[in-house]
Amino acid sequence: MPIPDFIRDLRAKAGHHLLWMPGVSAVVRDDEGRVLLGRRADTGEWSIIGGIPEPGEQPAAALVREVYEETAVHCVPERVLLVEALQRVTYPNGDVCQFMDTCFLARAVGGEARVNDDESLEVGWFAVDALPEMEEFAVRRIKQAAAGGPTWFDGLGEA
């Protein structure tokens, strides 16, 4: 995945030390209720779409930008599904990050789903009952969207 310039600048000073970072992700659904997924170039796994907001960028705006950049799909965020501190990640180059993920439910409003950058190998729409194998991170968010409950906060309830 490409490293944003502001993170590259931080890494020049912080080295591989832990960076605490904001992240956004989304369960994007179309009019048929299908979920937009991308098969990640870095891991080869299918997942929901997400990314890192730029400095000063609002989370919902970052999500709209990330979805379009990665999939060419235009979307409108409808609500926050959950807010969760994720586990630390150590990348192959030794960089350590931990993300605070804000996950949105979003509705597709235009565009044609396709690979739109170098972060995805494939992009597609999937019925909720026919999802490919994915990490629990994505599955839990899709289940939360389908349940239609209130925003979920880790440590305060079950998804």
Side-chain angles (χ1 to χ4, degrees), residues 27 29 60 63 75-81 104-109:
V27 176
R29 296 192 297 201
L63 188 279
C75 71
V76 174
E78 295 185 323
R79 69 181 181 94
V80 174
L81 287 174
F104 294 86
L105 173 62
R107 178 175 36 89
V109 294

mmCIF file of all heavy atoms in Angstrom, residues 27 29 60 63 75-81 104-109:
data_model
loop_
_atom_site.group_PDB
_atom_site.id
_atom_site.type_symbol
_atom_site.label_atom_id
_atom_site.label_comp_id
_atom_site.label_asym_id
_atom_site.label_seq_id
_atom_site.Cartn_x
_atom_site.Cartn_y
_atom_site.Cartn_z
ATOM 1 N N VAL A 27 -18.493 -0.341 5.263
ATOM 2 C CA VAL A 27 -19.325 -1.369 4.654
ATOM 3 C C VAL A 27 -20.172 -0.597 3.652
ATOM 4 O O VAL A 27 -21.093 0.125 4.038
ATOM 5 C CB VAL A 27 -20.180 -2.101 5.687
ATOM 6 C CG1 VAL A 27 -21.106 -3.097 5.001
ATOM 7 C CG2 VAL A 27 -19.299 -2.780 6.730
ATOM 8 N N ARG A 29 -22.768 -0.603 0.679
ATOM 9 C CA ARG A 29 -23.794 -1.464 0.091
ATOM 10 C C ARG A 29 -24.412 -0.794 -1.125
ATOM 11 O O ARG A 29 -24.508 0.427 -1.197
ATOM 12 C CB ARG A 29 -24.876 -1.792 1.117
ATOM 13 C CG ARG A 29 -24.332 -2.590 2.292
ATOM 14 C CD ARG A 29 -25.397 -3.160 3.173
ATOM 15 N NE ARG A 29 -26.200 -2.122 3.798
ATOM 16 C CZ ARG A 29 -26.922 -2.304 4.900
ATOM 17 N NH1 ARG A 29 -26.965 -3.475 5.484
ATOM 18 N NH2 ARG A 29 -27.630 -1.324 5.400
ATOM 19 N N ALA A 60 -15.466 11.079 7.571
ATOM 20 C CA ALA A 60 -16.428 10.709 6.526
ATOM 21 C C ALA A 60 -15.917 11.108 5.144
ATOM 22 O O ALA A 60 -16.065 10.348 4.176
ATOM 23 C CB ALA A 60 -17.791 11.335 6.801
ATOM 24 N N LEU A 63 -13.305 8.688 4.069
ATOM 25 C CA LEU A 63 -13.891 7.426 3.636
ATOM 26 C C LEU A 63 -14.394 7.525 2.202
ATOM 27 O O LEU A 63 -14.127 6.647 1.376
ATOM 28 C CB LEU A 63 -15.025 7.046 4.592
ATOM 29 C CG LEU A 63 -15.608 5.665 4.400
ATOM 30 C CD1 LEU A 63 -16.590 5.538 3.323
ATOM 31 C CD2 LEU A 63 -14.555 4.613 4.447
ATOM 32 N N CYS A 75 -19.778 6.996 -3.013
ATOM 33 C CA CYS A 75 -20.646 6.565 -1.914
ATOM 34 C C CYS A 75 -20.994 7.740 -1.019
ATOM 35 O O CYS A 75 -20.339 8.778 -1.050
ATOM 36 C CB CYS A 75 -19.998 5.445 -1.108
ATOM 37 S SG CYS A 75 -18.585 5.940 -0.105
ATOM 38 N N VAL A 76 -22.030 7.527 -0.216
ATOM 39 C CA VAL A 76 -22.472 8.499 0.772
ATOM 40 C C VAL A 76 -22.499 7.792 2.123
ATOM 41 O O VAL A 76 -23.202 6.786 2.280
ATOM 42 C CB VAL A 76 -23.885 9.030 0.432
ATOM 43 C CG1 VAL A 76 -24.406 9.931 1.539
ATOM 44 C CG2 VAL A 76 -23.882 9.732 -0.912
ATOM 45 N N PRO A 77 -21.727 8.280 3.102
ATOM 46 C CA PRO A 77 -21.790 7.687 4.443
ATOM 47 C C PRO A 77 -23.169 7.921 5.051
ATOM 48 O O PRO A 77 -23.726 9.017 4.932
ATOM 49 C CB PRO A 77 -20.716 8.441 5.237
ATOM 50 C CG PRO A 77 -19.846 9.077 4.209
ATOM 51 C CD PRO A 77 -20.721 9.338 3.017
ATOM 52 N N GLU A 78 -23.712 6.878 5.686
ATOM 53 C CA GLU A 78 -25.037 6.994 6.289
ATOM 54 C C GLU A 78 -24.990 7.042 7.805
ATOM 55 O O GLU A 78 -25.802 7.711 8.423
ATOM 56 C CB GLU A 78 -25.938 5.848 5.813
ATOM 57 C CG GLU A 78 -26.206 5.939 4.324
ATOM 58 C CD GLU A 78 -27.189 4.905 3.831
ATOM 59 O OE1 GLU A 78 -27.167 3.758 4.335
ATOM 60 O OE2 GLU A 78 -27.979 5.258 2.936
ATOM 61 N N ARG A 79 -24.075 6.279 8.400
ATOM 62 C CA ARG A 79 -23.935 6.314 9.857
ATOM 63 C C ARG A 79 -22.629 5.650 10.268
ATOM 64 O O ARG A 79 -22.023 4.919 9.486
ATOM 65 C CB ARG A 79 -25.115 5.660 10.559
ATOM 66 C CG ARG A 79 -25.210 4.155 10.400
ATOM 67 C CD ARG A 79 -26.454 3.626 11.133
ATOM 68 N NE ARG A 79 -26.568 2.198 11.014
ATOM 69 C CZ ARG A 79 -26.106 1.324 11.910
ATOM 70 N NH1 ARG A 79 -25.490 1.739 12.993
ATOM 71 N NH2 ARG A 79 -26.261 0.022 11.730
ATOM 72 N N VAL A 80 -22.226 5.918 11.503
ATOM 73 C CA VAL A 80 -21.048 5.264 12.069
ATOM 74 C C VAL A 80 -21.484 3.910 12.606
ATOM 75 O O VAL A 80 -22.432 3.818 13.396
ATOM 76 C CB VAL A 80 -20.421 6.123 13.194
ATOM 77 C CG1 VAL A 80 -19.287 5.366 13.887
ATOM 78 C CG2 VAL A 80 -19.912 7.443 12.634
ATOM 79 N N LEU A 81 -20.808 2.854 12.150
ATOM 80 C CA LEU A 81 -21.107 1.500 12.638
ATOM 81 C C LEU A 81 -20.400 1.205 13.947
ATOM 82 O O LEU A 81 -20.976 0.624 14.857
ATOM 83 C CB LEU A 81 -20.670 0.449 11.616
ATOM 84 C CG LEU A 81 -21.502 0.320 10.369
ATOM 85 C CD1 LEU A 81 -20.843 -0.663 9.408
ATOM 86 C CD2 LEU A 81 -22.910 -0.143 10.722
ATOM 87 N N PHE A 104 -17.838 3.117 8.893
ATOM 88 C CA PHE A 104 -19.105 3.689 8.453
ATOM 89 C C PHE A 104 -19.921 2.675 7.658
ATOM 90 O O PHE A 104 -19.357 1.828 6.969
ATOM 91 C CB PHE A 104 -18.853 4.885 7.517
ATOM 92 C CG PHE A 104 -18.205 6.060 8.175
ATOM 93 C CD1 PHE A 104 -16.826 6.138 8.279
ATOM 94 C CD2 PHE A 104 -18.978 7.099 8.678
ATOM 95 C CE1 PHE A 104 -16.220 7.231 8.877
ATOM 96 C CE2 PHE A 104 -18.382 8.194 9.271
ATOM 97 C CZ PHE A 104 -16.998 8.260 9.378
ATOM 98 N N LEU A 105 -21.232 2.821 7.718
ATOM 99 C CA LEU A 105 -22.120 2.201 6.748
ATOM 100 C C LEU A 105 -22.297 3.245 5.659
ATOM 101 O O LEU A 105 -22.570 4.414 5.953
ATOM 102 C CB LEU A 105 -23.473 1.865 7.371
ATOM 103 C CG LEU A 105 -24.544 1.363 6.406
ATOM 104 C CD1 LEU A 105 -24.105 0.056 5.742
ATOM 105 C CD2 LEU A 105 -25.866 1.182 7.140
ATOM 106 N N ALA A 106 -22.093 2.853 4.403
ATOM 107 C CA ALA A 106 -22.209 3.795 3.296
ATOM 108 C C ALA A 106 -23.045 3.177 2.180
ATOM 109 O O ALA A 106 -23.111 1.955 2.028
ATOM 110 C CB ALA A 106 -20.827 4.184 2.775
ATOM 111 N N ARG A 107 -23.672 4.057 1.418
ATOM 112 C CA ARG A 107 -24.517 3.645 0.295
ATOM 113 C C ARG A 107 -23.843 4.058 -1.007
ATOM 114 O O ARG A 107 -23.441 5.214 -1.176
ATOM 115 C CB ARG A 107 -25.879 4.323 0.434
ATOM 116 C CG ARG A 107 -26.868 4.058 -0.672
ATOM 117 C CD ARG A 107 -28.228 4.690 -0.367
ATOM 118 N NE ARG A 107 -28.157 5.971 0.318
ATOM 119 C CZ ARG A 107 -28.085 7.154 -0.302
ATOM 120 N NH1 ARG A 107 -28.085 7.228 -1.611
ATOM 121 N NH2 ARG A 107 -28.030 8.284 0.404
ATOM 122 N N ALA A 108 -23.721 3.114 -1.921
ATOM 123 C CA ALA A 108 -23.157 3.411 -3.239
ATOM 124 C C ALA A 108 -24.154 4.259 -4.015
ATOM 125 O O ALA A 108 -25.352 3.968 -4.026
ATOM 126 C CB ALA A 108 -22.865 2.126 -3.998
ATOM 127 N N VAL A 109 -23.657 5.330 -4.664
ATOM 128 C CA VAL A 109 -24.537 6.221 -5.412
ATOM 129 C C VAL A 109 -24.078 6.430 -6.853
ATOM 130 O O VAL A 109 -24.701 7.186 -7.591
ATOM 131 C CB VAL A 109 -24.687 7.601 -4.708
ATOM 132 C CG1 VAL A 109 -25.404 7.447 -3.384
ATOM 133 C CG2 VAL A 109 -23.340 8.281 -4.536
#
